[in-house]
Amino acid sequence: MSIDVSAMGLKVLIKAVPSFPVGIEVTHFADDGESLAISDLQTMESGMGVNGDLVVWRVATPCEADINVIPGTDECKDLETLFNLNMTQKNRASSKDVITMIVSHPNGKQTILSNGYIVGGKPVQDYSSVGRANSRNFRFVFENNVA
């Protein structure tokens, strides 16, 4: 029996209100970085009481998602615009987009990450020593996720 673990067919739709309410469909993922990387979530913290008892408590943690796209593609340009619109600078306020990310997995399942924000990216293109443009990474953080 073989198991197909291919990422072929992965799609991500990023809806950002107010800037991109229809969404940015991402399908041009880079080959020199993780196409889509979701951080591990920690659901509990732990410690030891003064008498050596294990003490645990639940914590809410945001879900971080990184996307690496091929530079120069339409979705890269749109994500660049989204990043720049949400970057606060002197004499310019952020557009304060609230983001929903809909991940369509190759096996047909969908994951929805909501109430999120774009929190990282590079404001300009950078290049590697081998003479090619590096993939563009954009980082998001979300309050809710539904698998």
Side-chain angles (χ1 to χ4, degrees):
M1 178 171 113
S2 66
I3 298 172
D4 185 358
V5 295
S6 171
M8 179 68 85
L10 176 67
K11 287 191 290 189
V12 176
L13 181 64
I14 299 168
K15 293 184 178 186
V17 177
S19 299
F20 289 90
V22 175
I24 303 166
E25 185 175 71
V26 180
T27 58
H28 291 98
F29 297 100
D31 66 341
D32 61 344
E34 298 292 331
S35 299
L36 172 65
I38 306 292
S39 65
D40 289 336
L41 296 181
Q42 185 166 344
T43 60
M44 298 185 84
E45 293 280 344
S46 63
M48 297 298 282
V50 294
N51 293 321
D53 299 309
L54 176 64
V55 179
V56 296
W57 58 95
R58 291 181 182 1
V59 294
T61 55
C63 180
E64 290 183 8
D66 281 81
I67 292 181
N68 286 291
V69 296
I70 298 172
T73 59
D74 287 342
E75 56 251 53
C76 180
K77 292 173 187 172
D78 288 344
L79 288 168
E80 224 172 70
T81 300
L82 178 63
F83 174 73
N84 287 322
L85 287 171
N86 284 276
M87 187 169 52
T88 303
Q89 295 178 352
K90 185 176 181 175
N91 300 320
R92 191 188 81 174
S94 162
S95 66
K96 299 180 182 173
D97 284 294
V98 177
I99 296 173
T100 299
M101 180 183 287
I102 302 165
V103 180
S104 297
H105 301 276
N107 64 3
K109 291 178 74 175
Q110 278 194 337
T111 301
I112 300 171
L113 305 170
S114 62
N115 202 22
Y117 301 91
I118 187 165
V119 296
K122 292 183 180 178
V124 296
Q125 179 66 55
D126 59 351
Y127 301 89
S128 72
S129 62
V130 296
R132 91 178 238 187
N134 289 329
S135 64
R136 295 299 300 270
N137 174 270
F138 298 94
R139 175 166 288 153
F140 301 85
V141 65
F142 297 93
E143 184 175 66
N144 301 312
N145 63 309
V146 179

